[in-house]
Amino acid sequence: MPKLCDIKFPSGCKTLPEGFWSSVDVWIKKPHVVNKRLCGAKETEGENVGREALKFLLDDSESSTKVLSFITGHVSETEEHEEPWCFSVRTIIPKVNRYGSKSHKEVILKDYSKQQVTFLPFEEDAGGQVCLKSGNIYQILLINQDCEEWVVELHLMAPDAWFSDGVAYPHPAWFSTDLLPKLVRWASENKSSEFSSTLSLLPVEKYSATYQQLKGKYKALVKVWPEVTDPEKFVYEDVAIATYLLVLWAEERARKGLTARQTFVDLGCGNGLLVHILTNEGHSGKGIDVRKRKIWDMYGPQTVLEEKAITPSESFLFPGTDWLIGNHSDELTPWIPVIAARSSYACRYFVLPCCFYDFYGKYQRRQCRKSQYREYIDFIAEVSHISGFQTDEDCLRIPSTKRVCLVGLSRNYQLPGEAEAERRRTDYIHARRLAPGVTGQRSAARNDGEGCCGSREAHGSTWGSGFQPRERVETVRNCAALPRDIVDGVVQRVASSLLEMTDDGGEGATGRLEQRREPLGRRGRRAAGASDPAAAEEGVWRPPDAAQEPPPGLQSRGREGLHTRRP
């Protein structure tokens, strides 16, 4: 068998051979973490097969003998294979479909007795006809050398016949430079993730197709983004979240036999882009945030965005809404499952936690065995369970370190048990408010009577009392809001001081050394005097005469921004 490459494991590696199979499973189930041109893969459930089943699978083709010899390691048909192979099939899902109706699949054969796994790629057309790509069959083996050294090897059945397109069929060199080193690292670490696999609740192929469609449709927003935030991050992140929700809702409609599209309310909608995309894609809904953003005016009247502070109460329930959304909703995050549960028995929710908030203040960490993020996700899941939801956890594919979402698709109690469920919610929230380290502050937000159910004084209408929403006007805590003349003055003064230090003034090296030792205040006053002698006596900076040219190469800041003057 032609060996393409091999890599030795670190000496004394204690995670093998179990770590090897864990790393192989990552490559099988999550090929996109290595091959960035893939969106993922879908694998069938494994089953054990023997030699006869393999011969039937290969359909006695001309190359079947050669393929069987490669798989079995040249064991003859008269010799009996010790254990059956674990057989499964994975469908490779590219990010961009370049293959039309053809599906790219691989038969995966795991041989646990020999510590090897074989990949047999084949293509399947829309009519179900399959074609084995025998030139691209490869095998990954774990070899134990000298009882202490472990090596992982990659074998190709027919290196000269290998076909590469860079997507479903990478170049052989890619296996050496990218795949095998990753397998060795994963096998050596053998770490299990704290969180679910990405997109575990969705069909990956539908997500991939929808994401590419929406990405092409809304990418123009990157060029006209009026906010100070990074346009690429926020646009593509919201496109990915919208994709997730659209596919999730489409699957829900198919499962329940519904035709009407789900309605939604996005609480703490921020820039409103998620609301805009969902609305454009046919879902009726609105977004609410305490502060209007500049980009809101660009969306048009069909995108409904409201500027108001949200205080959890009877005035902010949504009985006619199918889904509540909390996308980085900060202080509202723990309240969203509660608001959804109290809005109606049919209301569901989606929440993507970010900052760590409890009901009435910052979340206080209680366990050191978990990461703070894992602990907070568990807290929101607990809130969801107490609120009465069957809670699912998933991991999104977004450019963010906070990618874990929680979804409440159904209830864990029947409708007649609503009174008992409400009692549990009330007791839990009350207990959290009295928990050590949680300090409640009465909300300064004013209920203006324009709540989503109208302003009504019902029993429990103050169940959010003590909740503190964020201020309508964002407080600037850095130097970004300083007047331009002060910024210009500081820049000019520092630049002049630096230029003064490079001029020896006839004193030579000694003069420059003494100048560097001179106190900053004296240097600053002398620099100020370079443009205005009177200012030097006062120890203040005054702008130079408008006709005076700045030094060559120095950036001058005018009304239009920074400009570089060249000599």
Side-chain angles (χ1 to χ4, degrees):
M1 292 185 293
K3 181 174 69 173
L4 178 66
C5 63
D6 60 26
I7 298 180
K8 288 186 178 181
F9 282 88
S11 59
C13 184
K14 304 296 184 183
T15 59
L16 301 173
E18 293 80 6
F20 168 74
W21 290 109
S22 296
S23 65
V24 167
D25 282 340
V26 174
W27 168 236
I28 293 173
K29 301 176 187 299
K30 306 176 184 179
H32 56 278
V33 301
V34 188
N35 187 347
K36 300 303 181 182
R37 295 183 178 181
L38 300 181
C39 183
K42 183 172 62 175
E43 186 188 15
T44 62
E45 187 174 350
E47 58 179 294
N48 293 332
V49 298
R51 180 186 289 271
E52 292 302 317
L54 283 182
K55 291 176 67 176
F56 176 78
L57 174 69
L58 296 172
D59 197 24
D60 290 328
S61 61
E62 296 180 1
S63 60
S64 62
T65 303
K66 184 178 179 181
V67 173
L68 277 172
S69 177
F70 178 76
I71 295 172
T72 59
H74 301 286
V75 175
S76 65
E77 293 193 24
T78 57
E79 298 181 63
E80 188 174 348
H81 190 263
E82 295 181 8
E83 294 182 12
W85 291 278
C86 180
F87 167 90
S88 64
V89 177
R90 73 167 177 176
T91 302
I92 295 174
I93 304 169
K95 282 186 176 179
V96 180
N97 185 8
R98 302 176 180 176
Y99 306 110
S101 59
K102 282 187 178 180
S103 298
H104 289 72
K105 301 185 178 184
E106 287 179 333
V107 170
I108 301 171
L109 298 172
K110 295 180 180 178
D111 189 339
Y112 291 104
S113 63
K114 293 186 175 182
Q115 308 290 353
Q116 65 185 35
V117 56
T118 308
F119 296 81
L120 290 78
F122 65 95
E123 296 177 359
E124 182 178 8
D125 61 21
Q129 296 295 318
V130 299
C131 175
L132 178 67
K133 302 285 289 185
S134 57
N136 285 59
I137 295 175
Y138 67 97
Q139 195 173 72
I140 302 173
L141 306 89
L142 178 66
I143 308 296
N144 189 359
Q145 297 179 342
D146 301 330
C147 299
E148 292 185 0
E149 289 190 354
W150 293 87
V151 178
V152 62
E153 296 182 353
L154 178 70
H155 294 190
L156 305 183
M157 191 182 80
D160 296 336
W162 186 275
F163 167 76
S164 174
D165 64 3
V167 184
Y169 307 113
H171 194 276
W174 179 88
F175 288 91
S176 305
T177 59
D178 291 73
L179 178 59
L180 249 61
K182 288 285 179 63
L183 292 178
V184 170
R185 181 166 65 85
W186 294 336
S188 302
E189 296 174 351
N190 197 20
K191 293 180 180 178
S192 58
S193 174
E194 290 184 302
F195 304 105
S196 305
S197 300
T198 58
L199 309 180
S200 60
L201 302 180
L202 304 181
V204 179
E205 63 275 14
K206 291 184 180 180
Y207 175 89
S208 178
T210 306
Y211 177 76
Q212 293 301 326
Q213 175 193 354
L214 295 183
K215 183 180 178 182
K217 189 174 181 179
Y218 296 101
K219 65 181 180 181
L221 286 170
V222 173
K223 298 180 180 180
V224 296
W225 191 255
E227 306 292 338
V228 296
T229 51
D230 180 8
E232 289 195 355
K233 178 187 184 301
F234 281 87
V235 170
Y236 294 132
E237 180 172 322
D238 281 355
V239 166
I241 297 171
T243 301
Y244 187 93
L245 288 171
L246 290 171
V247 176
L248 180 71
W249 293 346
E251 292 296 299
E252 182 185 52
R253 292 196 303 273
R255 187 172 60 253
K256 295 182 177 181
L258 303 175
T259 56
R261 293 178 182 265
Q262 295 89 335
T263 59
F264 71 92
V265 174
D266 187 352
L267 300 177
C269 63
N271 58 50
L273 180 55
L274 179 59
V275 178
H276 177 65
I277 296 174
L278 295 176
T279 301
N280 276 0
E281 299 306 314
H283 290 268
S284 176
K286 66 179 179 180
I288 306 174
D289 200 279
V290 70
R291 180 168 52 86
K292 181 180 179 180
R293 309 302 201 272
K294 289 182 287 186
I295 197 173
W296 285 16
D297 294 329
M298 297 176 57
Y299 294 139
Q302 76 281 359
T303 301
V304 181
L305 300 169
E306 299 179 2
E307 182 183 13
K308 64 172 65 174
I310 303 170
T311 300
S313 65
E314 292 291 331
S315 296
F316 281 95
L317 295 181
F318 307 88
T321 300
D322 296 320
W323 282 80
L324 297 188
I325 299 172
N327 174 19
H328 294 148
S329 46
D330 295 345
E331 68 274 4
L332 285 171
T333 298
W335 286 104
I336 287 177
V338 179
I339 296 174
R342 288 174 169 172
S343 291
S344 73
Y345 184 77
C347 188
R348 288 86 75 195
Y349 80 88
F350 166 92
V351 68
L352 182 62
C354 181
C355 300
F356 307 139
Y357 281 90
D358 209 317
F359 290 105
Y360 299 102
K362 285 286 188 178
Y363 177 77
Q364 301 296 320
R365 190 173 183 180
R366 290 171 172 79
Q367 299 184 35
C368 60
R369 296 181 181 179
K370 301 178 183 178
S371 68
Q372 186 177 15
Y373 186 43
R374 175 71 264 177
E375 183 181 343
Y376 188 68
I377 294 294
D378 290 343
F379 163 62
I380 301 300
E382 181 181 72
V383 173
S384 177
H385 177 75
I386 296 296
S387 296
F389 285 98
Q390 298 280 1
T391 309
D392 292 305
E393 179 183 311
D394 205 353
C395 193
L396 275 60
R397 292 185 186 172
I398 56 176
S400 173
T401 56
K402 307 294 176 59
R403 302 186 296 136
V404 178
C405 69
L406 295 173
V407 182
L409 280 166
S410 59
R411 299 300 175 94
N412 55 20
Y413 64 93
Q414 298 299 319
L415 184 57
E418 180 63 42
E420 177 62 22
E422 176 57 31
R423 184 192 63 78
R424 288 195 300 269
R425 294 181 204 120
T426 303
D427 291 346
Y428 181 79
I429 295 171
H430 181 68
R432 295 296 304 183
R433 186 173 187 178
L434 299 179
V438 177
T439 56
Q441 293 180 327
R442 186 166 184 82
S443 173
R446 178 176 61 88
N447 190 344
D448 55 10
E450 297 178 2
C452 302
C453 294
S455 179
R456 63 176 187 265
E457 293 297 328
H459 176 68
S461 61
T462 59
W463 44 266
S465 178
F467 170 80
Q468 180 63 54
R470 64 180 58 191
E471 299 295 333
R472 187 179 298 272
V473 179
E474 189 174 17
T475 304
V476 178
R477 303 183 185 276
N478 54 28
C479 300
L482 285 175
R484 175 60 64 86
D485 58 342
I486 294 179
V487 175
D488 289 346
V490 172
V491 171
Q492 183 67 32
R493 185 168 180 172
V494 171
S496 299
S497 296
L498 293 173
L499 290 170
E500 185 78 10
M501 292 171 64
T502 61
D503 185 9
D504 58 19
E507 298 177 356
T510 304
R512 289 196 298 272
L513 179 60
E514 291 297 322
Q515 191 177 36
R516 289 189 178 93
R517 291 177 178 174
E518 192 174 352
L520 179 61
R522 291 173 58 193
R523 290 204 307 271
R525 286 193 294 273
R526 189 166 69 239
S531 59
D532 189 343
E537 296 299 326
E538 299 170 4
V540 297
W541 179 88
R542 290 181 183 173
D545 187 82
Q548 183 179 347
E549 288 288 329
L554 180 67
Q555 287 184 326
S556 64
R557 186 187 296 267
R559 293 182 181 272
E560 292 76 27
L562 285 171
H563 304 279
T564 302
R565 294 186 179 271
R566 299 185 182 275

